[in-house]
């Protein structure tokens, strides 16, 4: 299906961009380079039920980001790929029943999403993605019977979401009622 095509395309791009990166290190645009393609391949593998492959691709994306010079690691592009890789890794761990591992990477995803909110000037999209990451943390905490922790994450997500609707006149105004 479609995910198989995404995976094949991502793997071709990874090979080609890796060669380009070897020829001129640091010149590849991260999101459209090997890091971004590994993250996309990881998500395609996750959706295909190939969880070990998903974890491997996402691990590569994370390692590539960590190898970047310090000044490049906090760019929106790199942070977006990192957040996506951590989130995909979390979902793969959950599918494999490794809930404690999922909690660790979900926490890393929230941390990166917080940085993205700042890097993107509190954009609505960045705040919405932070809410999704917080909800994922709450869900993982629930699976571990950490109810107080889950409530804390859900409450922060709800508070943030509510603030997103305020400029539109609250939820009713946002929905056009």
């Amino acid at each position: 299906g479609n995910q198989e095509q995404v995976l094949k395309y991502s793997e071709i791009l990874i090979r080609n961009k890796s060669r380009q990166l070897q020829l001129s290190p640091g010149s590849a645009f991260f999101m459209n380079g090997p890091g971004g393609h590994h993250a996309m391949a990881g998500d395609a593998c996750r959706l295909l039920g190939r969880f070990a492959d998903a974890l491997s691709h996402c691990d590569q994306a994370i390692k590539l980001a960590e190898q970047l010079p310090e000044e490049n690691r906090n760019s929106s592009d790199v942070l977006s790929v990192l957040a996506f890789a951590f989130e995909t890794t979390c979902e793969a761990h959950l599918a494999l029943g490794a809930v404690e591992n999922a909690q660790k990477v979900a926490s890393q995803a929230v941390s990166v999403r917080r940085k993205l909110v700042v890097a993107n000037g509190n954009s609505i999209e960045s705040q919405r993605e932070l809410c999704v990451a917080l909800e994922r943390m709450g869900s993982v905490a629930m699976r571990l019977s950490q109810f107080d922790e889950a409530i804390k994450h859900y409450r922060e997500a709800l508070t943030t979401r509510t603030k997103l609707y305020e400029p539109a006149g609250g939820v009713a105004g946002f929905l056009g009622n």
Side-chain angles (χ1 to χ4, degrees):
N2 193 28
Q3 293 305 322
E4 286 287 348
Q5 291 173 329
V6 169
L7 180 59
K8 286 178 186 175
Y9 179 70
S10 295
E11 288 174 340
I12 290 167
L13 290 172
I14 289 166
R15 284 192 295 276
N16 291 339
K17 293 288 183 173
S18 293
R19 280 190 220 113
Q20 177 187 1
L21 194 59
Q22 290 169 351
L23 295 174
S24 71
S27 68
F29 186 60
F30 192 77
M31 187 176 282
N32 292 322
H37 296 306
H38 272 295
M40 284 190 328
D43 193 49
C45 287
R46 178 189 64 83
L47 292 169
L48 291 167
R50 294 171 43 187
F51 303 116
D53 291 335
L55 292 172
S56 177
H57 278 294
C58 288
D59 187 51
Q60 282 296 335
I62 294 163
K63 285 180 181 174
L64 286 167
E66 291 170 348
Q67 292 171 6
L68 290 171
E70 183 70 35
E71 64 270 10
N72 296 351
R73 275 188 233 146
N74 288 320
S75 73
S76 290
D77 291 337
V78 174
L79 291 173
S80 293
V81 169
L82 266 176
F84 185 62
F86 284 134
E87 290 159 356
T88 300
T89 299
C90 175
E91 295 299 327
H93 279 308
L94 287 173
L96 292 169
V99 184
E100 291 84 8
N101 291 341
Q103 187 175 41
K104 290 175 192 168
V105 291
S107 177
Q108 290 172 300
V110 166
S111 176
V112 173
R113 289 286 176 200
R114 288 186 197 285
K115 289 179 183 179
L116 271 165
V117 167
V118 173
N120 292 333
N122 283 329
S123 75
I124 291 174
E125 182 181 344
S126 294
Q127 291 181 61
R128 186 186 63 75
E129 292 296 333
L130 173 60
C131 291
V132 172
L134 288 164
E135 290 162 359
R136 184 179 295 106
M137 278 291 300
S139 176
V140 171
M142 289 288 290
R143 288 182 69 170
L144 292 168
S145 299
Q146 298 171 350
F147 303 116
D148 290 339
E149 189 73 13
I151 290 169
K152 179 182 91 172
H153 294 299
Y154 286 137
R155 186 169 283 141
E156 184 180 353
L158 181 60
T159 300
T160 303
R161 279 195 193 277
T162 302
K163 288 178 186 174
L164 292 176
Y165 297 125
E166 286 174 1
V171 174
F174 184 78
L175 296 175
N177 293 335

